[in-house]
């Protein structure tokens, strides 16, 4: 595997900005309408303007690394838009929430995808402005767990960019761990309209958050991924105090901006897969119904 030198990014939301701003010469894939809007309103991250180069899907040429950071709701369109950027040796890294995006990307571009997950960030985006305390890191690896030359090449590239990263031999474990977090924090914040600080307080929102996380742990175990029974407690004790109390996860940001959420990737996937095992998911059933009701109310 040769050294990674060229890169492209599709998706300029919170994660796209967080990581893309540190990737020298990265090409941001966007249609002409978006490019006009981005040029008129530059991206600002923690008070500093970010300079990006934009390129349309039709203008694309193969790159060494392609970072996919769109919302799950537009992944299929992104897969089409990035076609010209994928060459024989292109490595694709997806930082989408959930546990299914790599499967979709790999089906379209066989042999190009590393499994990955972005963790530990508390970024809040409003329009083209992003603020954060914790920049987080990218965990990634082969689905098989093998430490291949391309895993090492991606790690070297991210190190050179100053992007915190962790090559993993247990990336499926890491993905399910992040699903547990999103399933609890994201959905509780959206359903109960609370920032991180509100989720720290005892009450119905925190109870439902914890129950949803427990459902993910049980499902992961049934799927052969050994999340510990107290995985939720360990995460909440270690990480919640580090988050900005006024900050919020991405799903609440989507609800406030009246955007479609990723509830299908969280409660939707959990409910669907749990049915195979006869596993009840009352907390995820609640979140799925409530968040769908919120989305239905956008037009009212």
């Amino acid at each position: 595997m040769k050294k990674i030198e060229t890169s492209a990014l599709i998706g300029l939301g919170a994660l796209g900005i967080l990581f893309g701003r540190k990737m020298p010469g990265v090409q941001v894939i966007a249609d002409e309408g978006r490019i006009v809007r981005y040029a008129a309103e530059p991206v600002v991250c923690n008070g500093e303007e970010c300079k990006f180069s934009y390129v349309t899907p039709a203008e694309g040429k193969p790159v060494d690394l392609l970072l996919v950071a769109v919302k799950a709701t537009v992944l299929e369109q992104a897969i089409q838009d990035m076609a010209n950027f994928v060459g024989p040796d292109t490595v694709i890294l997806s930082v989408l929430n959930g546990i299914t995006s790599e499967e979709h990307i790999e089906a379209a571009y066989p042999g190009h995808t590393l499994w990955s997950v972005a963790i530990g960030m508390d970024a809040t985006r409003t329009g083209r402005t992003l603020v954060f305390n914790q920049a987080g890191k990218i965990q990634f690896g082969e689905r098989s767990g093998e430490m291949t030359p391309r895993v090492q090449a991606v790690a070297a590239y991210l190190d050179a960019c100053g992007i915190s990263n962790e090559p993993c031999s247990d990336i499926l474990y890491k993905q399910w761990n992040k699903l547990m977090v999103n399933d609890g924090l994201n959905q509780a914040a959206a359903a109960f309209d609370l920032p991180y600080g509100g989720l720290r307080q005892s009450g119905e929102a925190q109870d439902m958050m914890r129950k949803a996380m427990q459902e993910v742990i049980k499902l992961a175990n049934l799927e052969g991924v050994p999340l510990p029974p107290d995985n939720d407690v360990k995460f909440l004790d270690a990480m919640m105090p580090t988050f900005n109390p006024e900050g919020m996860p991405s799903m609440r940001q989507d609800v406030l901006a009246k955007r479609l959420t990723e509830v299908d990737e969280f409660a939707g996937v959990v409910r669907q897969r749990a049915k195979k095992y006869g596993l009840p998911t009352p907390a995820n059933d609640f979140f799925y119904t409530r968040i769908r009701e919120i989305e239905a109310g956008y037009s009212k």
Side-chain angles (χ1 to χ4, degrees), residues 122-284:
D122 63 352
T124 299
R125 179 171 67 90
T126 306
R128 309 310 308 149
T129 300
L130 187 77
V131 295
F132 70 91
N133 287 337
Q134 305 291 326
K137 68 178 176 181
I138 301 176
Q139 297 174 315
F140 63 97
E142 300 284 359
R143 194 180 192 282
S144 66
E146 185 182 358
M147 283 295 171
T148 58
R150 66 176 182 167
V151 170
Q152 296 166 349
V154 170
Y157 172 79
L158 295 176
D159 284 342
C161 292
I163 296 173
S164 182
N165 68 93
E166 180 188 354
C168 300
S169 59
D170 59 348
I171 191 59
L172 295 183
Y173 182 100
K174 298 293 197 297
Q175 283 195 327
W176 277 88
N177 181 66
K178 177 66 182 290
L179 178 63
M180 177 203 74
V181 174
N182 282 334
D183 208 68
L185 263 70
N186 258 289
Q187 297 189 137
F192 291 96
D193 192 22
L194 290 172
Y196 288 121
L199 296 178
R200 292 185 195 172
Q201 309 303 315
S202 298
E204 184 183 9
Q206 189 184 98
D207 289 346
M208 293 299 290
M209 174 180 72
R210 290 179 179 274
K211 288 175 182 176
M213 293 168 87
Q214 273 292 314
E215 290 172 7
V216 174
I217 292 170
K218 291 173 183 175
L219 177 60
N221 293 167
L222 291 169
E223 294 260 308
V225 179
L227 292 185
D230 62 347
N231 201 48
D232 55 335
V233 176
K234 288 180 178 176
F235 170 83
L236 294 170
D237 287 350
M239 293 305 299
M240 284 295 279
T242 71
F243 291 161
N244 178 359
E246 299 304 316
M248 66 188 85
S250 59
M251 187 177 280
R252 183 170 183 248
Q253 296 175 46
D254 289 340
V255 165
L256 293 177
K258 293 182 165 51
R259 294 188 292 256
L260 291 178
T261 72
E262 296 176 302
V263 69
D264 277 330
E265 295 302 314
F266 301 156
V269 166
V270 171
R271 296 168 80 219
Q272 178 188 14
R273 297 200 179 192
K275 286 177 182 174
K276 293 189 298 183
Y277 306 102
L279 175 68
T281 56
N284 277 283

Side-chain angles (χ1 to χ4, degrees), residues 4-133:
I4 291 174
E5 297 179 323
T6 59
S7 62
L9 161 69
I10 187 163
L12 206 54
L15 294 185
I17 296 169
L18 262 183
F19 300 127
R21 70 196 170 93
K22 306 198 81 173
M23 297 164 64
V26 67
Q27 302 175 65
V28 178
I29 305 167
D31 60 38
E32 291 179 356
R34 283 185 183 274
I35 292 174
V36 170
R37 293 199 300 276
Y38 291 163
E41 189 178 1
V43 171
V44 176
C45 183
N46 276 2
E48 293 186 11
E49 184 176 331
C50 302
K51 304 288 187 181
F52 289 112
S53 297
Y54 301 103
V55 60
T56 65
E59 297 169 332
K61 291 185 172 64
V63 293
D64 298 330
L65 179 68
L66 177 53
L67 184 68
V68 182
V70 298
K71 288 285 187 184
T73 50
V74 295
L75 176 60
E76 294 308 317
Q77 182 62 52
I79 287 173
Q80 296 177 40
D81 289 346
M82 65 197 205
N84 287 339
F85 297 83
V86 181
D89 300 316
T90 302
V91 180
I92 302 175
L93 209 58
S94 166
V95 291
L96 271 71
N97 284 324
I99 57 173
T100 64
S101 68
E102 285 87 356
E103 296 170 359
H104 293 292
I105 296 168
E106 184 69 4
Y109 305 106
H112 289 278
T113 313
L114 288 178
W115 265 239
S116 59
V117 62
I119 66 163
M121 66 287 301
D122 63 352
T124 299
R125 179 171 67 90
T126 306
R128 309 310 308 149
T129 300
L130 187 77
V131 295
F132 70 91
N133 287 337

